[in-house]
């Protein structure tokens, strides 16, 4: 079976903004200060070919992480690549009932299907806490799934898929997964691999014990498989992870770590069967000119976009990785590097990043980003911590490749 690198329409379109359309600007689209004491957290965003953007966040009545009480999911929609936004939409509400599976819903991870424009959303649900010892295989961190067929305006009833996920690892030689959740922000959909009803999607798990795992689906979340099988450990020391893809369909894992990121790459030997192997995980930080996060470990996003090198006008692919750049969770910014045409291994991927471009000059933490139909990068991040109610303003900011790279690429 042969696969070619087929870019979506948004990647191929010329970047043009009509003179009668004001370009989008930085906007606080979920304002914790105006939320009647209920904080927002955890950004996720999807982009559509017609310029629609769908942004989803936690709405934390309990003023803490999922597992500590009621958390809802809220959304806003932009029909015009971030220039204007709808009123808030309730995606799903937690009951706040102690011990209930629907006590809360948080840490959204979303993807839109490029063929049907359907959105799939995975979230943590219930009232179990990932890191507590009493959260285990018989009392797990639970997984909820929701769908939207109208770009996020309305949503299906939530469905619990906890057993679908956990059972993938029950035959692991080192023991089953006791607790896990999907890394918030982006579920990644392949640009090149389609062996079922949909292009393949990947969800990266933060799991204990054993660090990160990756699951994939060829039917847009109706069923799942473990990438590499139940015994695959792509990053044993990894925390909250994300996935991206190299042009040949190989899968990149990018995982939160103190001082930077952990990278690994899954190479297929049979794409249709999903079989292959992970490389050796490599740390990216200050010592190897990598994606340095100063004095913090924080969830960020990896994104590969098409670009043109200004010096010789050569077409290239750029990897972007966001992390907080300041001491602690401050000064969120973006590192970048070219993805070479030849084979790249995890160690090479982890080193030699350029930049960074600093986006925020304030307290700032989790971030995600998406390639928009107008060729800009929709950057969605937490900024300006309100410590009294433990939440952030949720900020959308459109960025050009030229801005991120200081004019070296466009």
């Amino acid at each position: 079976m042969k696969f070619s690198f087929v870019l979506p329409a948004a990647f191929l379109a010329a970047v043009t903004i009509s003179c009668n359309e004001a370009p989008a600007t930085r906007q606080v689209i979920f304002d914790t200060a105006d939320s009647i004491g209920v904080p927002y957290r955890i950004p996720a965003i999807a982009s559509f070919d017609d310029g629609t953007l769908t942004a989803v966040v936690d709405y934390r009545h309990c003023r803490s992480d999922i597992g500590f009480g009621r958390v809802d999911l809220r959304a806003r929609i932009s029909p015009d690549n971030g220039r204007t936004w709808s009123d808030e939409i309730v995606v799903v509400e937690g009951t706040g009932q102690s011990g209930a599976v629907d006590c809360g819903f948080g840490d959204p991870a979303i993807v839109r299907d490029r063929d049907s424009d359907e959105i799939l959303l995975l979230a943590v649900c219930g009232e179990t806490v990932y890191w507590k010892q009493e959260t285990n295989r018989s009392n797990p961190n639970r997984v909820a799934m929701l769908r939207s067929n109208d770009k996020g305006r309305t949503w299906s009833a939530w469905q619990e898929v906890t057993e679908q996920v956990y059972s993938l690892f029950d035959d692991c030689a080192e023991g089953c997964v006791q607790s896990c959740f999907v890394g918030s922000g982006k579920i990644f959909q392949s640009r090149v691999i389609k062996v079922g009803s949909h292009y393949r999607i990947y969800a990266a798990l933060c799991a204990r014990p054993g660090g990160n795992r990756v699951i994939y689906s060829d039917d847009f979340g109706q069923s799942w498989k473990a990438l590499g099988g139940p015994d695959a450990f792509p990053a044993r020391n990894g925390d909250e992870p994300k996935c991206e893809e190299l042009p040949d369909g190989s899968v990149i894992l990018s995982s939160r770590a103190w001082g930077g990121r952990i990278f690994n790459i899954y190479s297929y030997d049979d794409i249709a069967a999903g079989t292959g192997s992970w490389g050796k995980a490599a740390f990216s930080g200050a010592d190897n000119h990598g994606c340095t996060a100063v004095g913090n470990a924080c969830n960020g996003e990896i994104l590969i976009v098409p670009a043109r090198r200004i010096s010789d006008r050569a077409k290239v692919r750029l990897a972007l990785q966001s992390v907080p750049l300041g001491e602690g969770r401050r000064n969120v910014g973006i590192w970048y590097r070219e993805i070479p045409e030849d084979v790249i291994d995890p160690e090479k991927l982890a080193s030699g990043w350029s930049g960074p471009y600093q986006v925020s000059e304030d307290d700032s933490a989790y971030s995600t980003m998406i390639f928009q139909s107008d060729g800009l990068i929709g950057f969605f991040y937490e900024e300006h911590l309100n410590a009294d109610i433990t939440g952030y303003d949720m900020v959308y900011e459109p960025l050009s490749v030229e801005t991120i790279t200081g004019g070296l690429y466009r």
Side-chain angles (χ1 to χ4, degrees):
M1 187 174 294
K2 184 178 180 180
F3 294 85
S4 60
F5 189 67
V6 180
L7 289 169
F11 274 56
L12 297 173
V15 179
T16 58
I17 298 177
S18 173
C19 61
N20 63 358
E21 291 181 332
T25 57
R26 179 188 184 278
Q27 298 177 63
V28 176
I29 59 173
F30 295 90
D31 191 342
T32 283
D34 292 339
S35 65
I36 320 176
V38 179
Y40 298 103
R41 281 214 63 191
I42 317 298
I45 193 167
S47 173
F48 296 83
D49 293 341
D50 67 354
T52 299
L53 304 177
T54 304
V56 181
V57 297
D58 280 12
Y59 188 57
R60 294 184 163 183
H61 296 266
C62 68
R63 300 189 181 185
S64 189
D65 291 338
I66 183 70
F68 288 95
R70 180 182 171 184
V71 180
D72 303 343
L73 296 178
R74 297 285 183 95
R76 292 186 72 184
I77 297 172
S78 169
D80 49 18
N81 277 314
R83 284 180 281 275
T84 61
W85 292 85
S86 72
D87 293 336
E88 284 188 23
I89 295 165
V90 176
V91 176
V92 64
E93 291 184 330
T95 63
Q97 182 178 344
S98 180
V101 177
D102 60 356
C103 178
F105 299 86
D107 280 21
I110 64 175
V111 61
R112 74 96 176 178
D113 178 51
R114 64 171 47 93
D115 284 340
S116 67
D117 282 347
E118 180 182 7
I119 298 177
L120 173 71
L121 184 155
L122 295 178
V124 184
C125 67
E127 198 187 25
T128 52
V129 178
Y130 167 74
W131 47 265
K132 288 189 174 182
Q133 290 304 307
E134 57 265 33
T135 303
N136 52 45
R137 184 64 182 88
S138 59
N139 181 39
N141 222 32
R142 297 180 181 274
V143 187
M145 180 173 68
L146 298 97
R147 298 178 185 272
S148 173
N149 290 306
D150 55 9
K151 301 176 182 176
R153 293 172 179 84
T154 61
W155 293 84
S156 69
W158 71 277
Q159 175 186 356
E160 187 178 359
V161 293
T162 304
E163 280 304 306
Q164 288 186 40
V165 174
Y166 280 78
S167 63
L168 298 175
F169 306 100
D170 283 348
D171 293 332
C172 176
E174 296 186 20
C176 62
V177 168
Q178 297 294 329
S179 182
C180 73
F181 64 93
V182 175
S184 64
K186 183 176 70 177
I187 298 169
F188 178 74
Q189 185 171 42
S190 174
R191 304 180 187 96
V192 298
I193 297 174
K194 186 177 183 181
V195 298
S197 60
H198 295 69
Y199 282 91
R200 183 167 290 175
I201 60 173
Y202 302 91
L205 303 179
C206 186
R208 63 171 181 84
N212 298 141
R213 313 290 183 96
V214 176
I215 59 177
Y216 72 94
S217 174
D218 289 325
D219 53 16
F220 209 60
Q222 298 293 343
S223 62
W224 295 89
K225 297 178 181 178
L227 190 64
D231 297 315
F233 294 91
R236 287 183 179 270
N237 296 318
D239 200 317
E240 292 174 296
K242 303 293 184 73
C243 284
E244 244 288 356
E245 179 183 57
L246 294 173
D248 66 353
S250 299
V251 180
I252 297 174
L253 176 84
S254 172
S255 187
R256 164 181 166 174
W258 183 264
R261 306 294 291 183
I262 297 172
F263 289 113
N264 206 346
I265 297 174
Y266 185 83
S267 299
Y268 285 103
D269 55 45
D270 186 329
I271 288 177
T275 57
S277 60
W278 289 98
K280 182 180 180 182
F283 178 73
S284 181
D287 290 344
N288 60 353
H289 302 286
C291 302
T292 307
V294 178
N296 71 82
C298 194
N299 199 0
E301 189 67 78
I302 184 169
L303 179 68
I304 294 179
V305 299
R308 189 181 293 274
R309 197 164 49 223
I310 299 298
S311 61
D312 60 2
R313 298 188 59 79
K315 293 181 179 180
V316 300
R317 301 178 195 91
L318 282 184
L320 310 176
Q321 175 67 62
S322 61
V323 293
L325 304 172
E327 186 67 39
R329 291 184 170 183
R330 291 187 59 83
N331 304 344
V332 159
I334 302 171
W335 294 90
Y336 65 92
R337 63 156 295 154
E338 285 189 29
I339 296 295
E341 294 292 336
D342 59 345
V343 175
I344 187 168
D345 61 25
E347 185 174 357
K348 186 174 182 180
L349 177 62
S351 62
W353 289 72
S354 298
Y357 172 71
Q358 184 175 326
V359 180
S360 172
E361 297 180 353
D362 199 347
D363 296 321
S364 42
Y366 284 32
S367 59
T368 186
M369 52 185 153
I370 199 75
F371 192 79
Q372 298 182 175
S373 65
D374 59 2
L376 297 179
I377 310 302
F379 195 61
F380 189 30
Y381 62 103
E382 301 176 328
E383 187 179 57
H384 189 60
L385 174 66
N386 184 327
D388 291 337
I389 57 173
T390 60
Y392 291 83
D393 294 337
M394 310 302 289
V395 179
Y396 162 82
E397 186 164 352
L399 299 168
S400 68
V401 168
E402 192 167 6
T403 295
I404 294 169
T405 64
L408 296 179
Y409 301 85
R410 65 172 48 156

